[in-house]
Amino acid sequence: MAKGKGYQKFQAEFTKTAGKIAANKLLLTLRDSFIIVAATSMIAGFAIMIQNVFVDPTNGLIFGKQGLGLGRLISGSWAAWGKSGLFNGLTTTGNLIGLVSNGSLNTFAILLVVIFSHTFSRKYFPKSKEHMTSVLYALGAFFICMPWKFQYTPDGAKKPIDVLNYMDTTFFGTKGVFAALLISGFAVWIYNKVLAKNFTIKMPDSVPPAVARSFESLIPGVITMGVFIILTGISTTFTGETMPELLLTALQKPALAISGTGLFAFVSQITWSLLQWFGIHPTSIWGPIFGLTWNINDTQNMLGQAQHVYSTLFMNFSTVAAGSCSVSPVLALMLFSKRLAAKKVSKIALMPAIFNISEPVTFGLPIILNPLYFIPWLVAQPLAFYIGLFFTRIGFIGPIVNNVPWTVPTLLSGLLYTGSINGLIVQAVIVLITTAIYVPFIRMDNKLNPDNPDKEMENAATEALGA
């Protein structure tokens, strides 16, 4: 009894604490911002996947040496294939598809400034008459702070040259993520605070509202821009670096270094499934953290700038559907459960599970808050993650560089994530092993909760009489 009370107290405290964290306004703002921006990343990822997997004439799955090798079959040899018109056409097509990155991944920080400042303004200053004005001054502040002087090494040159009065556009991408969030958030806060003090130009009532709001924003806008001019002057005078450069060195690089450790990965995977078992959506807590770290790794991998192993894409590939390994408990139930109710749930849950939707089985069986399935549920995600990591470390698959929609069925998604049959094999191994760890607990469920045929006949008779 004491143990039961202790468990209930732990459950209540855990749920209460996790709920408070998940309801934090700033975390929600970050989560919502990254979710919105992720739409452009997904489009870019889809385009890069098509480019790498289907169109690439050299290493693609269809024509390349690592895939079906249709290029050689069509031309007779790899040398002839490299000189063919189709090879050149596919190369040109791939390069054109790759331009999608310029409007999404390479401008990731700019997109974040727009989305984050608008979301931040709506959540923290709901009474504001025009949230887009906040976005306007956030963009202005970001460009004020950007490095307008940098060093560049031309092709063939041995020493870098100073480039003056041109913006360092590398901060438009992943290098500028922390700067985009901090500068835009601070700009929105200053602007709205000054606006709330009524340091504004009041226009007569006869002036159209849109014109009046434009004049109303002038003084708060000038003050906001002025603050960032002063901050830029202080930063460059005392450190020789602009604010984006300082934030990159002081915050972003250390955060990315921490997120690249095995301990960070282990904690994230264990707590992800633990939160899910308690019925708390882990994206509310981990989404903003991954957005600031592993999503940057995703973008750099897709752009070919790096080959990070730890990334959100890798987690989606290895743990299937971002953690739930949804198809594994369903398969285990279908194969080994003797309970009619569980069998029915597994049949209903099969089709959603194929498309990586786990709710029918997690809430229908249920698995959530079910002590019997606590261990396999807690273990399945980290186990799947480390199986994927093992095959990456030994070189069986490479770092994940393709972004695949999370609803793409398991095995097919493994093929597309990696652009290789090896990805399909790794996911098959993961599904087999994570299915197997459910088996002992399903057999235990068969013994602890056996179906009662007499009771079922009684219920059927009652229903028949009632009908």
Side-chain angles (χ1 to χ4, degrees):
M1 180 64 73
K3 185 178 179 181
K5 287 183 178 177
Y7 169 74
Q8 288 177 4
K9 186 178 179 181
F10 167 76
Q11 179 184 334
E13 288 297 323
F14 183 88
T15 307
K16 182 180 176 182
T17 304
K20 280 186 177 179
I21 295 172
N24 180 271
K25 195 185 289 186
L26 182 57
L27 288 179
L28 289 174
T29 305
L30 284 168
R31 184 202 64 181
D32 293 348
S33 301
F34 279 109
I35 287 174
I36 295 171
V37 174
T40 58
S41 302
M42 287 183 67
I43 292 171
F46 195 67
I48 292 171
M49 182 191 72
I50 293 173
Q51 180 187 10
N52 291 338
V53 177
F54 299 109
V55 178
D56 186 345
T58 304
N59 298 311
L61 190 64
I62 307 297
F63 301 97
K65 297 178 181 178
Q66 298 176 359
L68 300 176
L70 289 185
R72 186 179 61 177
L73 291 176
I74 293 171
S75 304
S77 68
W78 287 118
W81 169 242
K83 297 175 182 177
S84 67
L86 181 56
F87 181 95
N88 293 328
L90 289 171
T91 302
T92 303
T93 303
N95 292 336
L96 290 173
I97 293 173
L99 291 177
V100 175
S101 299
N102 290 343
S104 50
L105 303 181
N106 286 327
T107 55
F108 192 72
I110 300 292
L111 298 176
L112 265 183
V113 170
V114 175
I115 300 301
F116 180 73
S117 56
H118 189 262
T119 310
F120 188 85
S121 178
R122 286 177 55 235
K123 286 191 182 295
Y124 282 85
F125 304 98
K127 295 181 180 178
S128 175
K129 296 174 184 174
E130 183 55 81
H131 296 294
M132 284 308 294
T133 310
S134 296
V135 176
L136 181 69
Y137 290 112
L139 270 172
F142 183 71
F143 284 114
I144 285 172
C145 296
M146 286 290 288
W148 286 80
K149 171 188 173 185
F150 60 96
Q151 289 190 322
Y152 171 71
T153 306
D155 292 338
K158 294 182 179 179
K159 293 183 178 180
I161 59 173
D162 289 331
V163 180
L164 304 177
N165 297 322
Y166 285 93
M167 194 179 296
D168 185 356
T169 55
T170 58
F171 281 92
F172 286 8
T174 54
K175 280 176 67 176
V177 168
F178 272 53
L181 294 171
L182 292 171
I183 292 172
S184 62
F186 190 37
V188 171
W189 184 83
I190 295 172
Y191 170 75
N192 283 279
K193 285 294 181 183
V194 176
L195 193 67
K197 297 289 184 184
N198 282 324
F199 294 147
T200 58
I201 298 173
K202 299 292 183 185
M203 300 299 289
D205 293 340
S206 57
V207 176
V211 178
R213 283 201 294 275
S214 180
F215 275 90
E216 192 178 63
S217 73
L218 286 179
I219 294 178
V222 168
I223 293 174
T224 302
M225 308 279 257
V227 167
F228 283 94
I229 289 171
I230 294 169
L231 289 175
T232 299
I234 294 172
S235 172
T236 52
T237 301
F238 290 99
T239 68
E241 293 185 321
T242 58
M243 289 174 62
E245 291 168 327
L246 275 179
L247 293 171
L248 176 68
T249 306
L251 295 178
Q252 185 163 322
K253 285 183 177 178
L256 290 176
I258 292 171
S259 73
T261 62
L263 178 61
F264 179 90
F266 178 76
V267 172
S268 69
Q269 298 311 296
I270 284 287
T271 54
W272 189 283
S273 49
L274 182 65
L275 288 165
Q276 278 189 321
W277 189 82
F278 277 100
I280 299 166
H281 204 301
T283 305
S284 301
I285 295 174
W286 276 108
I289 299 170
F290 283 163
L292 284 169
T293 52
W294 283 11
N295 284 10
I296 294 176
N297 292 352
D298 286 340
T299 306
Q300 291 179 344
N301 279 3
M302 285 190 282
L303 286 170
Q305 296 172 348
Q307 289 198 323
H308 300 288
V309 174
Y310 296 132
S311 68
T312 311
L313 291 181
F314 174 75
M315 187 178 76
N316 292 345
F317 159 76
S318 60
T319 64
V320 183
S324 59
C325 295
S326 50
V327 75
S328 301
V330 175
L331 288 177
L333 285 168
M334 293 187 72
L335 293 173
F336 298 98
S337 180
K338 295 179 180 177
R339 296 180 57 219
L340 291 176
K343 285 276 190 186
K344 286 181 180 178
V345 169
S346 65
K347 289 177 182 176
I348 294 170
L350 178 61
M351 188 56 69
I354 289 174
F355 293 95
N356 302 320
I357 297 168
S358 62
E359 279 76 5
V361 69
T362 54
F363 290 98
L365 190 58
I367 288 177
I368 303 297
L369 292 176
N370 187 339
L372 191 60
Y373 291 107
F374 175 74
I375 292 176
W377 182 262
L378 192 69
V379 168
Q381 171 162 346
L383 184 61
F385 185 87
Y386 284 105
I387 291 171
L389 187 62
F390 168 76
F391 282 108
T392 306
R393 294 295 190 201
I394 65 172
F396 190 71
I397 57 172
I400 305 300
V401 298
N402 296 327
N403 194 350
V404 179
W406 65 274
T407 49
V408 173
T410 308
L411 304 186
L412 176 59
S413 70
L415 187 71
L416 297 177
Y417 270 120
T418 59
S420 158
I421 193 72
N422 290 1
L424 184 151
I425 294 170
V426 172
Q427 280 197 342
V429 172
I430 289 170
V431 170
L432 283 174
I433 294 177
T434 53
T435 300
I437 64 172
Y438 277 93
V439 175
F441 299 91
I442 287 174
R443 286 177 172 160
M444 201 182 304
D445 185 35
N446 292 337
K447 292 180 180 178
L448 292 173
N449 305 297
D451 290 331
N452 187 336
D454 295 336
K455 185 68 177 176
E456 287 174 6
M457 291 180 64
E458 183 182 333
N459 290 339
T462 304
E463 289 177 5
L465 289 173

